């Protein structure tokens, strides 16, 4: 439980910092929190896609430092960012109060 709290703490700090930076037209906390939770839930999909991509790269290039670098830059990074963007597109972008 301590590990979970420690992993959520930096996210909560960033979330609050960005929310407070919006001086004039802040998005409702409900939208912000729900989008955050959807992004966290999207990590399950990222796990599946990352595993599949790692298996493909490892089967083509073998298991070596070069293939690990390829996995990091061509699989894990793009997949993680894509599933987080999908969470934002699925919820926040559809809200009229989300204007930035």
């Amino acid at each position: 439980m301590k590990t979970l709290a420690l992993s959520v703490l930096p996210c909560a700090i960033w979330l609050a910092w960005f929310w407070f930076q919006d001086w004039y037209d802040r998005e409702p906390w409900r939208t912000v929190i729900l989008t955050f939770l959807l992004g966290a839930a999207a990590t399950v999909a990222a796990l599946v896609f990352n595993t599949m991509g790692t298996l493909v790269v490892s089967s083509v290039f073998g298991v070596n430092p070069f293939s690990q670098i390829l996995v990091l830059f061509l699989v894990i990074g793009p997949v993680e960012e894509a599933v987080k963007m999908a969470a934002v597109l699925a919820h926040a972008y559809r809200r009229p109060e989300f204007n930035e």
Side-chain angles (χ1 to χ4, degrees):
M1 192 63 166
K2 290 180 184 179
T3 305
L4 179 63
L6 287 174
S7 65
V8 171
L9 182 63
C11 299
I13 291 170
W14 274 112
L15 187 66
W17 188 82
F18 280 109
W19 191 76
F20 283 114
Q21 293 302 309
D22 193 357
W23 288 88
Y24 301 107
D25 191 20
R26 291 186 177 143
E27 284 71 22
W29 270 110
R30 183 177 185 275
T31 301
V32 173
I33 297 297
L34 189 55
T35 305
F36 175 77
L37 292 174
L38 285 171
T43 59
V44 176
L47 175 66
V48 172
F49 290 122
N50 285 338
T51 302
M52 291 181 350
T54 302
L55 292 174
V56 168
V57 170
S58 297
S59 67
V60 172
F61 294 102
V63 179
N64 55 53
F66 177 71
S67 69
Q68 291 175 347
I69 291 171
L70 285 178
V71 166
L72 289 173
F73 284 99
L74 299 179
V75 177
I76 294 177
V79 166
E80 292 287 333
E81 297 308 316
V83 296
K84 287 187 281 187
M85 185 62 185
V88 172
L89 289 173
H91 180 68
Y93 273 8
R94 295 181 179 191
R95 303 280 181 223
E97 65 267 8
F98 190 79
N99 56 5
E100 295 175 18

